């Protein structure tokens, strides 16, 4: 069975933390490809910066298109209304029954995923790769995994990951303050942000 990693995210914008996480997960679980799926309209996040889902999709594409093992899917961006992970994983599972999917996220999500819509339908259609930052409480994570296993038959692996203090919020703030985001974001994405004037970018 072909093993595919799924990186879902708002990606506003995508940054090196996301890309490194994808690469780490690929090596760790011997995944053949990573598919990035930018969220459409998320009921959990407000869009206050006038960047459209299509533009986030575009930025994500620019970040990964030079890697033959990574690609970007527009299925959430094209979906009407709010997008939910269970729908995405069901759609992928039905469309590609011969593939095994691994949804990748930061391990803190293990403590919120039960509040996502229909978590049982997420666990039924994919395994989870949960990235653990260096200073997190591992025994707490392991207990939570046991709980999710017992309740949902969830298949979850912990991926030891780096403590990288990079976030999309930090990128947006640096752009707004006129600071460089070089080495935090791929160059192609920086050019796109500058060309579009996102996050209050002003050319000097
Ligand atoms: P995001 O902020 O764009 O980040 C995407 C992923 O990258 C997250 O798992 C995040 O983990 C991780 N990440 C970001 N920076 C990192 C760093 N420096 N080091 C390690 N990991 C890093 O995405 P998001 O808006 O949270 O959404 C994630 C996915 O969850 C999306 O597919 C979304 O649709 C899904 N979701 C679904 C529901 C639902 O179905 N009801 C609800 C909520 C989320 P951390 O968050 O730990 O940083």
């Amino acid at each position: 069975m072909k093993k595919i990693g799924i990186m879902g995210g708002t990606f506003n914008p995508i940054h090196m933390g996301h890309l490194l996480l994808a690469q780490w997960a690929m090596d760790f679980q011997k995944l053949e490809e990573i598919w990035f799926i930018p969220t459409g309209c998320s009921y959990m996040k407000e869009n206050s910066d006038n960047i459209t889902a299509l533009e986030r999709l575009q930025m994500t594409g620019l970040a990964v298109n030079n890697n033959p093992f990574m690609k970007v899917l527009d299925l959430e961006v094209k979906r009407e209304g709010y997008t939910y992970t269970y729908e995405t994983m069901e759609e992928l599972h039905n469309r590609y029954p011969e593939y095994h999917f691994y949804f990748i996220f930061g391990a803190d999500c293990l403590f919120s995923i039960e509040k996502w819509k229909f978590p049982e339908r997420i666990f039924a259609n994919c395994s989870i790769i949960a990235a653990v930052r260096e200073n997190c409480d591992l025994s707490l994570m392991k207990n939570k995994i046991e709980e999710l296993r017992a309740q949902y038959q969830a298949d979850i692996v912990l991926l030891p990951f780096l403590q990288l203090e990079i976030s999309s919020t930090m990128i947006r703030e640096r752009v707004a303050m006129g600071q460089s985001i070089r080495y935090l974001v791929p160059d192609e994405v920086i050019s796109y942000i500058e060309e579009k004037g996102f996050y209050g970018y002003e050319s000097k």
Side-chain angles (χ1 to χ4, degrees):
M1 237 186 193
K2 197 165 171 173
K3 293 160 75 175
I4 307 289
I6 300 296
M7 273 292 294
T10 314
F11 303 131
N12 186 25
I14 187 161
H15 55 67
M16 294 308 192
H18 298 126
L19 293 164
L20 275 175
L21 173 55
Q23 186 63 53
W24 246 242
M26 188 146 108
D27 294 339
F28 181 74
Q29 205 60 23
K30 300 197 173 18
L31 307 174
E32 288 178 58
E33 288 178 20
I34 302 279
W35 297 355
F36 286 76
I37 307 187
T39 55
C41 176
S42 165
Y43 80 102
M44 280 190 161
K45 286 199 178 173
E46 246 180 79
N47 181 3
S48 51
D49 48 26
N50 295 324
I51 295 184
T52 65
L54 274 176
E55 287 166 331
R56 289 187 287 102
L57 178 82
Q58 187 82 23
M59 281 197 279
T60 310
L62 289 169
V64 307
N65 282 346
N66 62 359
N67 185 331
F69 304 105
M70 295 186 182
K71 65 177 178 184
V72 180
L73 268 55
D74 63 3
L75 80 174
E76 289 198 1
V77 163
K78 283 194 170 158
R79 200 178 293 148
E80 294 281 317
Y82 291 131
T83 53
Y84 298 104
T85 300
Y86 85 91
E87 288 179 297
T88 301
M89 295 321 303
E90 279 184 353
E91 193 175 331
L92 289 175
H93 182 72
N94 293 337
R95 220 194 277 179
Y96 306 98
E98 72 281 21
Y99 293 177
H100 187 99
F101 291 102
Y102 293 80
F103 194 79
I104 304 162
F105 58 42
D108 286 347
C109 289
L110 293 173
F111 296 91
S112 56
I113 193 165
E114 286 170 285
K115 295 195 191 83
W116 297 12
K117 200 163 183 185
F118 301 133
E120 66 282 4
R121 290 167 71 174
I122 301 176
F123 294 127
N125 288 292
C126 63
S127 300
I128 302 285
I129 299 178
V132 188
R133 272 96 155 183
E134 278 154 11
N135 62 1
C136 91
D137 185 337
L138 213 52
S139 62
L140 215 65
M141 296 287 170
K142 287 183 175 162
N143 288 344
K144 188 67 203 177
I145 289 179
E146 280 316 312
E147 218 182 285
L148 295 171
R149 245 181 223 144
Q151 190 165 352
Y152 304 97
Q153 292 79 53
D155 178 39
I156 303 170
V157 288
L158 286 178
L159 160 70
F161 194 56
L162 310 166
Q163 186 72 35
L164 280 175
E165 303 298 342
I166 309 174
S167 67
S168 297
T169 306
M170 175 216 260
I171 305 295
R172 295 194 299 269
E173 286 174 357
R174 287 185 67 85
V175 173
M177 289 187 294
Q179 294 170 337
S180 172
I181 52 170
R182 203 164 178 202
Y183 311 123
L184 293 170
V185 171
D187 289 345
E188 296 82 352
V189 177
I190 297 178
S191 302
Y192 188 74
I193 290 171
E194 292 179 356
E195 179 196 318
K196 293 274 189 171
F198 288 158
Y199 316 127
Y201 174 80
E202 283 178 24
S203 55
K204 291 176 189 137

